[in-house]
Amino acid sequence: MSTGTLQPPVGPGDHAQGPADAPITLVEYGDYECPHCAAAHGVVRTVQRELGGSLRYVFRNFPLRQAHPHAAHAAEAAESIARHGGEERFWAMHDWMFAHQHTLADEYLLERAAALGVEAQAVEDDLSAGAMASRVHHDFRSGVRSGVNGTPTFFVNGRRFDGDWRDASALAGALRNAEPA
């Protein structure tokens, strides 16, 4: 059931940047092959720099498989990199995928994993076995429960944000004025 609130709330299993006790938490449901998510990525990075330690940013996978054939494996590859290489490498892969949406076939994902210092064979094994599919599906289901029906979709302090995310200054202002969680 869609409530317009984040279901479940941010927890220790989420990929997050910024302090856990930040007064503002921005959650994005995104798809690595979505051009709108790529545009949002640059805006979010600008807002992160502007708000600094007052912002915690969380990314959850919401691959739109019908529209974006590489999105699910891209999300699984990012999760595999987190599994084998840690959060820092997850975020490096996250950034790379949004900058290189035209190269999300498995061969490129594996090359990038190796470039990040993660054993490509481990990532390939995870992709072949679907080892990270349940993690990606968990994010997707949480998005559906939260009322997500497209990407990107944002939540601010647990509430769906339907304002303009395309302008960094406007988004930063909306975040500063958000009600506390």
Side-chain angles (χ1 to χ4, degrees):
M1 179 169 141
S2 167
T3 62
T5 59
L6 190 63
Q7 301 293 328
V10 173
D14 280 303
H15 297 292
Q17 292 180 318
D21 63 349
I24 305 164
T25 297
L26 176 65
V27 175
E28 176 184 358
Y29 282 90
D31 172 322
Y32 289 116
E33 203 170 358
C34 169
H36 301 291
C37 292
H41 179 70
V43 171
V44 167
R45 289 294 181 236
T46 299
V47 168
Q48 285 180 292
R49 286 189 296 276
E50 187 173 330
L51 297 180
S54 64
L55 176 67
R56 174 175 57 166
Y57 169 66
V58 174
F59 183 83
R60 290 183 177 171
N61 299 293
F62 201 82
L64 301 172
R65 289 172 168 86
Q66 300 293 354
H68 304 130
H70 298 104
H73 254 201
E76 289 177 38
E79 294 299 337
S80 179
I81 286 170
R83 176 184 187 185
H84 298 290
E87 282 294 298
E88 184 176 322
R89 288 186 176 103
F90 165 85
W91 287 107
M93 185 66 163
H94 170 90
D95 293 345
W96 181 86
M97 288 192 292
F98 281 127
H100 298 89
Q101 287 187 318
H102 60 286
T103 55
L104 295 180
D106 288 0
E107 65 189 89
Y108 300 112
L109 299 174
L110 297 174
E111 285 175 13
R112 188 61 191 165
L116 291 172
V118 176
E119 188 173 330
Q121 186 63 54
V123 175
E124 184 175 17
D125 291 347
D126 281 353
L127 289 175
S128 295
M132 305 312 293
S134 64
R135 162 64 196 231
V136 172
H137 188 66
H138 178 268
D139 279 0
F140 189 87
R141 281 190 352 256
S142 77
V144 170
R145 284 193 310 271
S146 301
V148 174
N149 55 9
T151 57
T153 297
F154 294 98
F155 289 79
V156 177
N157 292 342
R159 295 173 194 90
R160 185 173 169 136
F161 176 75
D162 290 319
D164 185 12
W165 55 262
R166 290 170 180 84
D167 177 83
S169 296
L171 179 58
L175 293 173
R176 281 190 195 95
N177 294 322
E179 292 180 32

